[in-house]
Amino acid sequence: MPTVTTVLGEREVRDLGIALPHEHLFANLGHTAPGSLLADPAAAQSEVEAFRAAGGGTIVDLTSAELTGGAYGRAWPGPASDLHATDTRSVANVAALARISAETGVHVIAGTGHYREPFLDREWIDRHSVDEVADSLVRDLTEGFPGTGVRAGIIGEIASNAWYMTSAEERSFRAAARAQLRTGARISTHATDWPTGLAQLRLLGEEGVAPEDVIIGHVDTVPDPDYPLRLAEAGAWVQLDTFFHCKAGGAIVPGPFAHRVAVLRRLIDAGHAGRVLLSHDVCVPALLARNGGTGYTFLLQEGREALIDAGIEAEFIDAALTANVGRALSS
């Protein structure tokens, strides 16, 4: 039986239950979005408990190294002096994930990797070779985040954020590719607004990574209707993971919701239902359920019912949140 690595150790895929493959329990986007620090441990635990009560089993926390603190502040509960080395998560961040997992019974899978411009520490990237950056990712995946004994279970979210990839982002992607080939861990990406996921796939492929080992994220933010189909046809996992756009002020937002229904309909009708993943990407306080956002429960509750009412089959939704995630996360 295939297994995955959670913050509390190895678990069989069949034990994951309903899983959200792209979320954040603690994150700091303050460098580009002031006031967006997601760092309240009590709120995080409450939202995860609500996910558990709704039937949820697993959350994949894709908070890249740069989003857990460093030069842009603290995004975890812990003393101000506990700033992580630029190449990994902090001890307190990892400990907080483990504590929430232990106290709620929800499996948490932690990602390792680097985010995007302008969050990347260019000085650190410039002082390390691609292979040295890859070594740090392999360490997190095989030995554990330094000082924690907790291993990463996925590479991500690694990111590029425009119609092109910067030189620093390219080196981050090449390092992720080399770590993937050495460990077998899946890669999960951030690719918003432009069809840059295709460029990401090409670059990772240059390093020898197979498309089926890559989850392309934020596909639902790209207006090109053929883009999701091209990714699926290439063999990658197609992740519609910004369902946070679909709820605000406690109500469903019709336009963004209808867009995602249309994307899903095209993928399903084209025979790609088995390569689709769904998630919310909760990353700032406004997106928590207590603040009128989706929280981690939307796709399990009112969002699920709304998708069914819009003609998306219940069987597809259930598979996308269970079997598809299990296959995407395990080698």
Side-chain angles (χ1 to χ4, degrees), residues 18-164:
I18 294 173
L20 299 176
H22 190 125
E23 304 293 345
H24 306 272
L25 299 184
F26 303 103
N28 186 2
L29 288 167
H31 184 49
T32 57
S36 62
L37 182 65
L38 187 66
D40 183 339
Q45 180 158 335
S46 175
E47 298 274 332
V48 174
E49 287 173 344
F51 171 68
R52 178 70 172 185
T58 300
I59 291 175
V60 182
D61 185 294
L62 290 181
T63 308
S64 309
E66 292 78 16
L67 299 186
T68 62
Y72 308 123
R74 239 172 356 114
W76 57 82
S81 61
D82 186 24
L83 293 177
H84 72 294
T86 312
D87 66 334
T88 195
R89 292 174 181 254
S90 79
V91 172
N93 173 267
V94 175
L97 297 182
R99 178 184 58 77
I100 287 177
S101 180
E103 294 187 4
T104 63
V106 170
H107 303 304
V108 176
I109 297 169
T112 182
H114 297 280
Y115 201 44
R116 60 171 176 86
E117 305 275 21
F119 292 85
L120 287 173
D121 184 336
R122 291 297 297 268
E123 181 182 356
W124 184 86
I125 289 284
D126 287 344
R127 286 190 290 107
H128 292 81
S129 69
V130 170
D131 284 333
E132 287 174 330
V133 178
D135 287 342
S136 70
L137 304 184
V138 171
R139 175 206 62 208
D140 291 347
L141 290 158
T142 60
E143 301 173 19
F145 298 102
T148 71
V150 172
R151 293 191 291 136
I154 191 170
I155 300 169
E157 67 184 293
I158 59 169
S160 61
N161 200 59
W163 61 94
Y164 62 91

Side-chain angles (χ1 to χ4, degrees), residues 180-252:
Q180 194 283 322
L181 294 173
R182 289 166 59 183
T183 64
R186 294 291 199 259
I187 294 174
S188 186
T189 82
H190 165 111
T192 58
D193 301 324
W194 291 276
T196 189
L198 294 166
Q200 293 176 351
L201 271 183
R202 284 194 298 271
L203 189 150
L204 294 169
E206 289 175 6
E207 293 283 338
V209 176
E212 56 265 29
D213 288 323
V214 182
I215 301 166
I216 299 296
H218 309 330
V219 173
D220 47 340
T221 68
V222 179
D224 180 353
D226 292 328
Y227 173 60
L229 299 179
R230 293 174 67 189
L231 292 171
E233 289 163 0
W237 294 93
V238 181
Q239 192 161 263
L240 281 69
D241 54 23
T242 63
F243 269 85
F244 74 78
H245 286 295
C246 296
K247 186 178 179 182
I252 291 177

